């Protein structure tokens, strides 16, 4: 493929133009460069799909590269989970990831070159002084007294910084650009700071670590990246990105910025997600309410539904808040085709069919998925004692109530017409304990025997054969569309009712032995996933992956 879709957004158009101007299509190189300081989230998925997608479309290449230049916040555990998540999404499956830390030596040598060529110097003042002399947006900064120290002196200090002779903060290597530059980032920006800290890959080898602006362009350049795609906040950094590569005269990739993905009712920032985990607001990075890839996966999202979502939202230059319904829709579209339909009663109410033989169990045929002929059918037991949904019964029903009520007839899915004859209540509390019903034997399979109509069709399970389960219903994690807007801490907007746990639910027997990770549709309830962590064959724990219809739209409309 050579970019048939290439004009579909401004990034693909820019790359197409570069190809028209002589760049070989198979030379297109992109990268996904996460910092391993947390777990990947849905925002990263957008970047992953964009970078790997473009490389694939143009016949080029994309690499997963860890931007592991900060020893303080980075951990091997995060590297492993990120590799795993990227592969799960369907990318970088057959290759080892790259690491910025593998270029530390090269970066160091290039910094020495800058010093020798008069483009960098060691500033030995305190961080505070350096900050104070940077000036403001309206006032230029002032020169450091060390700005013109001899190159040999800077080079010597830099070597000793590297060797670990100084405490943190004693010196800083800075580029010598322009202390009056209108873009503050170009006022002699820092290249290296002293950090006497071990690195998760290089151990104790280094005592200086490169700053993002210095390192990132070099990483891109060293790898021969042609298009360095990043989010809009890096737009103001681009002149610096360009300056370093220009001055060094090395391969110069083109940086192009696009808008971050912000998803309503959640946060997409590793730091904020980390706060949710450490604050105990969720059970972990893979809590099914989290917008992390591990959370979405555990929730029951498929990689393809996330890829489709990323394709649908596209890329733009303006920040926006994307509706959660779009993500859910993409999943629902897929699960509608693939998920088998089963019956589960979440809030059981016992029904006794008085005219059904006491000891009889008959097996009824139930199709697995009306959207998929190949899915076939299964048998489900019917007997004298059943469970129906408590919310499907009303004692004082309004006229348009088509479900169970005294004297009302309904269809039990795949089974029979039944009529409610009597309501048994707890004499003390008035609580409805069971319904006494009769069935019409001539309506087997749920077909009307004589053309009479019933409007309601309910799901049910046979009491004796049903399987008990715990079912978790998740709601949005935050009460506000943008929890980070405003002055309050974002955790103040957490939705306290984002998890509802139902115990004593009753599932049809086919679900008794399901493996963790199994996805199905509980008819009339939504798509449910056997929790990969807590579910066991024999004692299933399900949670809702998505409602049947766009519950988010309803939520937003009512809030
Ligand atoms: P976070 O704020 O979550 O830590 P980040 O931008 O610091 O995000 P990185 O690890 O640096 O995280 O991100 C790797 C790549 O993913 C970068 O190119 C970044 O621009 C991109 N990215 C991060 N968040 C989003 C987002 N919400 N939408 C699109 N791309 C994103
Ligand atoms: Mg970051």
């Amino acid at each position: 493929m050579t970019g048939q879709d290439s004009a579909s957004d401004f990034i693909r158009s820019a790359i197409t133009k570069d190809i028209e101007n002589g760049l070989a299509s198979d030379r297109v190189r992109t990268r996904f460069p996460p910092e391993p300081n947390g777990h990947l989230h849905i925002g990263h998925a957008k970047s992953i799909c964009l970078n790997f997608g473009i490389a694939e479309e143009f016949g080029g290449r994309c690499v997963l590269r860890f931007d592991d230049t900060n020893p303080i916040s980075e951990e091997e555990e995060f590297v492993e989970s990120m590799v795993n998540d990227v592969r799960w999404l369907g990318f970088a499956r057959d290759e080892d990831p790259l690491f910025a830390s593998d270029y530390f030596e090269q970066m160091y040598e290039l910094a020495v070159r800058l010093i020798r060529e008069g483009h960098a110097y060691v500033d030995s003042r305190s961080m505070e002084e350096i900050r104070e002399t940077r000036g403001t947006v309206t006032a230029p900064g002032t020169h450091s007294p060390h700005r013109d120290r001899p190159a040999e002196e800077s080079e010597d200090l830099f070597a000793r910084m590297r060797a670990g002779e100084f405490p943190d903060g004693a010196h800083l290597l800075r580029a010598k650009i322009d202390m009056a530059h209108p873009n503050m980032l170009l006022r002699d920006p820092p290249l290296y700071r002293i950090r006497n800290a071990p690195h998760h890959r290089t151990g104790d080898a280094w005592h200086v670590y490169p700053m993002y602006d210095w390192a990132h362009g070099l990483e891109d350049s060293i790898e021969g990246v042609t298009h360095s795609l990043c989010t809009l906040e890096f737009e103001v950094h681009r002149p610096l990105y360009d300056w370093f590569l220009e001055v060094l005269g090395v391969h110069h990739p083109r940086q192009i910025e696009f808008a971050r993905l912000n998803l309503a009712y959640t946060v997409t920032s590793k730091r904020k997600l980390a706060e949710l985990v450490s604050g105990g607001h969720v059970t972990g990075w893979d809590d099914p309410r989290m917008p992390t890839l591990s959370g979405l996966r555990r929730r029951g999202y498929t990689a393809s539904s996330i890829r489709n979502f990323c394709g649908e939202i596209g890329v733009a230059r303006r920040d926006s808040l994307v509706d959660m319904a779009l993500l859910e829709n993409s999943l629902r579209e897929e699960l509608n085709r693939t998920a088998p339909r089963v019956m589960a009663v979440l809030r059981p109410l016992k029904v006794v069919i008085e005219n059904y033989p006491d000891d009889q169990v008959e097996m009824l045929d139930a199709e697995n998925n009306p959207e998929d002929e190949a899915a076939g059918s299964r048998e489900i037991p019917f007997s004298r004692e059943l469970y129906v949904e408590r919310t499907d019964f009303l004692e004082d029903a309004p006229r348009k109530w088509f479900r169970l009520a005294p004297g009302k007839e309904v269809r039990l899915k795949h089974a029979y017409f039944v009529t409610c004859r009597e309501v048994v209540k707890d004499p003390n509390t008035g609580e409805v304990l069971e319904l006494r019903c009769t069935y019409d034997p001539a309506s087997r399979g749920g077909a009307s025997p004589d053309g009479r109509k019933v409007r309601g069709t309910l799901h049910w399970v046979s009491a004796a054969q049903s399987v008990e389960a715990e079912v978790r219903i998740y709601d949005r994690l935050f009460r506000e569309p943008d929890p980070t807007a405003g002055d309050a801490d974002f955790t103040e907007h957490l939705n306290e009712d984002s998890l509802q746990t139902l115990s004593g639910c009753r599932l049809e027997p086919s679900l008794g032995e399901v493996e963790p990770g199994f996805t199905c549709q509980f008819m009339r309830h939504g798509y449910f996933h056997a929790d990969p962590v807590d579910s066991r064959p024999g004692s299933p724990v399900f949670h809702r992956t998505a409602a049947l219809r766009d519950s988010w739209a309803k939520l937003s409309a009512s809030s």
Side-chain angles (χ1 to χ4, degrees):
M1 266 200 297
T2 44
Q4 295 99 311
D5 306 328
S6 51
S8 57
D9 61 59
F10 73 98
I11 294 179
R12 288 169 168 91
S13 310
I15 297 175
T16 303
K17 200 159 255 162
D18 289 341
I19 290 170
E20 282 162 13
N21 290 333
L23 171 69
S25 185
D26 63 356
R27 290 275 309 119
V28 170
R29 291 278 181 287
T30 54
R31 84 288 172 264
F32 173 64
E35 185 186 351
N37 61 348
H39 292 252
L40 296 179
H41 52 62
I42 186 74
H44 293 114
K46 171 175 176 174
S47 179
I48 295 168
C49 291
L50 178 68
N51 279 291
F52 282 95
I54 281 178
E56 203 174 287
E57 285 158 39
F58 286 94
R61 210 182 137 209
C62 178
V63 294
L64 166 61
R65 174 226 302 156
F66 287 100
D67 203 356
D68 58 344
T69 54
N70 179 1
I72 308 296
S73 51
E74 297 166 2
E75 284 173 35
E76 201 52 38
E77 174 215 327
F78 297 139
V79 169
E80 280 163 25
S81 91
M82 286 181 167
V83 170
N84 183 38
D85 285 349
V86 170
R87 290 188 175 156
W88 175 73
L89 256 192
F91 304 107
R93 290 227 160 124
D94 307 318
E95 44 201 281
D96 293 328
L98 304 177
F99 293 88
S101 52
D102 286 342
Y103 315 140
F104 279 173
E105 193 63 46
Q106 263 168 293
M107 292 178 187
Y108 179 84
E109 278 157 23
L110 289 167
V112 169
R113 232 186 79 197
L114 279 194
I115 296 173
R116 289 183 186 161
E117 293 171 4
H119 297 302
Y121 61 97
V122 170
D123 196 333
S124 309
R125 293 175 303 162
S126 71
M127 284 296 174
E128 218 175 0
E129 264 178 289
I130 291 175
R131 208 174 306 122
E132 277 165 9
T133 53
R134 225 173 136 226
T136 64
V137 196
T138 47
T142 51
H143 283 187
S144 164
H146 307 135
R147 197 172 197 260
D148 292 315
R149 78 187 345 160
E152 303 76 53
E153 198 178 309
S154 280
E155 188 178 335
D156 175 60
L157 281 170
F158 187 40
R160 292 167 57 200
M161 286 160 66
R162 169 184 181 163
E165 286 187 27
F166 307 112
D168 288 10
H171 304 279
L172 189 68
L173 183 70
R174 304 177 73 181
K176 195 189 284 186
I177 304 181
D178 179 358
M179 284 307 291
H181 202 286
N183 181 339
M184 300 275 290
L185 293 171
L186 276 82
R187 292 188 186 172
D188 292 10
L191 303 185
Y192 280 90
R193 61 189 162 171
I194 300 173
R195 272 260 192 277
N196 291 293
H199 183 278
H200 72 109
R201 293 191 81 239
T202 59
D204 293 322
W206 292 87
H207 296 269
V208 288
Y209 290 93
M211 304 299 292
Y212 176 88
D213 284 318
W214 166 247
H216 202 82
L218 295 183
E219 295 159 25
D220 287 345
S221 178
I222 289 166
E223 290 168 3
V225 165
T226 53
H227 298 86
S228 179
L229 312 179
C230 59
T231 34
L232 281 179
E233 69 269 25
F234 292 104
E235 188 170 15
V236 287
H237 296 250
R238 179 162 19 105
L240 188 52
Y241 181 99
D242 290 337
W243 190 90
F244 286 133
L245 300 175
E246 198 79 10
V247 165
L248 290 167
V250 293
H251 168 69
H252 191 155
R254 176 172 175 193
Q255 176 178 311
I256 306 178
E257 308 86 17
F258 63 94
R260 295 178 86 82
L261 165 63
N262 301 306
L263 205 53
Y265 294 105
T266 189
V267 290
T268 44
S269 144
K270 278 177 281 174
R271 195 180 54 74
K272 294 204 171 68
L273 294 171
E275 265 183 77
L276 293 180
V277 175
S278 63
H281 303 294
V282 292
T283 57
W285 286 94
D286 70 344
D287 186 299
R289 291 165 291 183
M290 290 279 269
T292 50
L293 294 182
S294 52
L296 291 167
R297 178 166 63 236
R298 182 171 166 192
R299 177 77 171 254
Y301 271 81
T302 60
S304 48
S305 68
I306 294 177
R307 288 196 306 265
N308 289 339
F309 165 75
C310 291
E312 242 163 68
I313 56 173
V315 285
R317 289 264 317 158
R318 190 134 45 88
D319 272 315
S320 64
L321 198 57
V322 173
D323 204 301
M324 188 71 94
L326 226 73
L327 177 60
E328 240 189 29
N329 263 332
S330 161
L331 179 70
R332 205 181 287 117
E333 218 167 79
E334 180 175 324
L335 294 184
N336 182 42
R337 281 180 277 114
T338 58
R341 274 59 167 168
V342 295
M343 295 201 280
V345 176
L346 303 189
R347 295 166 184 85
L349 172 61
K350 185 172 267 185
V351 166
V352 179
I353 311 289
E354 293 185 313
N355 60 339
Y356 197 85
D358 218 353
D359 49 1
Q360 184 174 313
V361 178
E362 83 186 280
M363 299 307 286
L364 298 168
D365 200 50
E367 68 183 336
N368 287 328
N369 186 350
E371 302 290 323
D372 178 8
E373 267 175 37
S377 62
R378 67 192 182 289
E379 292 202 313
I380 47 174
F382 185 86
S383 67
R384 182 179 160 89
E385 294 200 354
L386 314 172
Y387 288 115
V388 297
E389 208 67 62
R390 194 163 275 275
T391 48
D392 279 338
F393 170 77
L394 267 189
E395 196 168 12
D396 296 307
R399 213 165 48 82
K400 292 221 161 181
W401 178 259
F402 301 119
R403 297 181 254 166
L404 280 169
K408 284 250 183 186
E409 184 171 47
V410 299
R411 174 191 290 107
L412 296 183
K413 182 78 180 172
H414 304 307
Y416 291 100
F417 285 15
V418 298
T419 304
C420 177
R421 303 292 175 189
E422 193 191 332
V423 183
V424 181
K425 292 192 212 170
D426 183 312
N428 297 318
T429 64
E431 188 198 354
V432 176
L433 298 179
E434 69 179 47
L435 305 180
R436 312 291 294 192
C437 299
T438 55
Y439 85 118
D440 180 351
S443 62
R444 194 174 197 271
S448 179
D450 52 11
R452 79 175 184 274
K453 286 204 168 57
V454 297
R455 296 283 290 273
T457 299
L458 309 185
H459 62 277
W460 55 276
V461 295
S462 172
Q465 292 80 15
S466 66
V467 178
E468 191 170 333
E470 177 179 317
V471 174
R472 301 168 183 167
I473 308 285
Y474 294 112
D475 195 354
R476 53 188 168 171
L477 195 48
F478 290 92
R479 282 179 277 107
E480 294 294 319
D482 182 0
T484 62
D487 298 329
D489 185 85
F490 75 103
T491 56
E492 307 247 312
H493 301 303
L494 277 162
N495 174 12
E496 301 301 332
D497 303 318
S498 61
L499 167 60
Q500 187 189 0
T501 302
L502 303 173
S503 53
C505 305
R506 291 283 168 175
L507 316 181
E508 66 167 69
S510 72
L511 294 175
E513 297 300 317
V514 289
E515 295 292 331
F518 174 78
T519 299
C520 56
Q521 183 194 104
F522 287 176
M523 295 176 80
R524 300 176 65 225
H525 283 304
Y527 295 100
F528 285 74
H529 192 61
D531 190 87
V533 177
D534 296 330
S535 194
R536 300 272 174 282
S539 57
V541 177
F542 273 90
H543 57 239
R544 191 169 70 189
T545 302
L548 284 180
R549 266 175 271 301
D550 178 2
S551 57
W552 291 92
K554 252 190 303 180
L555 286 168
S556 332
S558 67
S559 64

